Amino acid sequence: MAQKLVVGNWKLNGSLAANEALIGACGALAGVEMAVCVPFPYLAQAASLLAGVALGAQTVSEFQSGAYTGEVSAEMLAEMGCRYVIVGHSERRALFGEDDAAVGRKAQSVLRAELVPIVCVGESLAEREAGRVMEVVGRQLDAVLASVGVQGLSGVVIAYEPVWAIGTGRAAGADEAQEVHAAIRRWLADHGAPKGIRILYGGSVKADNAATLFAMPDVDGGLIGGASLVAQDFMAICRAAIANGDD
Ligand code: PGA
């Protein structure tokens, strides 16, 4: 786990011109792994422009092929040059009805295509206030384990993204994040998962709080929404990851 992984999640943003400018200003840096997850129509453009920064998608179909109008398979994403696929983002869960079991099946379909699922987990504010953080996160992880098996877990990246921190400007405090990351690490160990699975933090990571979050021992990088759309902010976050890497 030498280098941290910083992944931009552009969400529903971009245009050919804006993407070109953004990617042009986000060069790869030594000492950190970088990736950007772009909307489907821009995968080919991003693949042609990125150099040393991995490409990812933001969701995927659980199906491989067939009569599933509008769906995009993991194999198609692999063919377009993706390495990562975000699955189970809280916006997908809340707005598009993806339940825990579907997220597990999507993670499995990503592994089937030999890509890396970035599996998002996290609690709502009400769940946190009720003291149910690990009950919720554990349930989300259980569903992934049920689909991918212990072997499959070695191929996933986990992103802890408390729902109340996403797009709100209210990031988890570094200690709050570390506490849940350590609990996820324990959950993985208790379920026989191999060591070295990366756990990213996501939710209002900005240039000014990235270093404190990345300094936590169980925070292996970040999943960055809004700040990934501003080149100088994304690059500052990536530099904070280098400064707080293990090597
Ligand atoms: P944010 O989004 O950085 O804008 O809070 C993070 C995410 O949704 O992955």
Side-chain angles (χ1 to χ4, degrees):
M1 235 185 290
Q3 295 193 346
K4 295 207 191 288
L5 170 63
V6 178
V7 182
N9 172 13
W10 288 4
K11 308 192 181 187
L12 180 49
N13 293 291
S15 67
L16 290 172
N19 305 344
E20 190 171 347
L22 181 54
I23 291 174
C26 290
L29 298 173
V32 59
E33 280 183 62
M34 296 163 60
V36 286
C37 296
V38 312
F40 290 144
Y42 299 133
L43 286 170
Q45 181 203 20
S48 75
L49 294 174
L50 289 169
V53 175
L55 180 64
Q58 301 171 15
T59 186
V60 67
S61 177
E62 65 185 79
F63 303 110
Q64 189 163 1
S65 64
Y68 302 105
T69 302
E71 293 286 272
V72 172
S73 73
E75 285 73 11
M76 294 173 184
L77 297 177
E79 205 172 32
M80 295 308 292
C82 286
R83 170 160 173 71
Y84 294 101
V85 184
I86 298 171
V87 298
H89 190 281
S90 66
E91 288 152 15
R92 304 287 325 163
R93 293 177 188 263
L95 304 173
F96 301 99
E98 291 185 14
D99 61 16
D100 293 339
V103 173
R105 291 192 299 272
K106 286 176 184 234
Q108 173 56 22
S109 68
V110 174
L111 291 172
R112 182 189 66 217
E114 299 182 2
L115 303 181
V116 179
I118 300 174
V119 177
C120 299
V121 297
E123 81 289 355
S124 66
L125 189 56
E127 288 162 342
R128 171 163 283 265
E129 285 172 348
R132 296 179 48 218
V133 176
M134 267 325 281
E135 176 197 326
V136 171
V137 169
R139 190 198 69 220
Q140 293 169 335
L141 292 171
D142 283 341
V144 174
L145 175 60
S147 281
V148 310
V150 177
Q151 273 311 108
L153 280 182
S154 62
V156 313
V157 170
I158 293 169
Y160 169 57
E161 295 211 311
V163 178
W164 46 270
I166 295 175
T168 58
R170 182 188 162 191
D175 292 338
E176 269 175 325
Q178 167 58 26
E179 192 183 346
V180 181
H181 282 233
I184 293 172
R185 192 83 71 203
R186 277 195 300 279
W187 183 96
L188 289 166
D190 290 348
H191 289 80
K195 285 197 184 358
I197 295 173
R198 287 191 283 199
I199 309 173
L200 312 182
Y201 169 79
S204 296
V205 179
K206 305 290 177 202
D208 60 5
N209 62 11
T212 11
L213 286 160
F214 293 161
M216 294 293 117
D218 289 302
V219 176
D220 304 318
L223 182 54
I224 320 299
S228 74
L229 298 170
V230 181
Q232 72 181 45
D233 292 354
F234 188 62
M235 294 306 285
I237 291 167
C238 292
R239 281 192 295 273
I242 298 171
N244 290 281
D246 289 352
D247 281 345

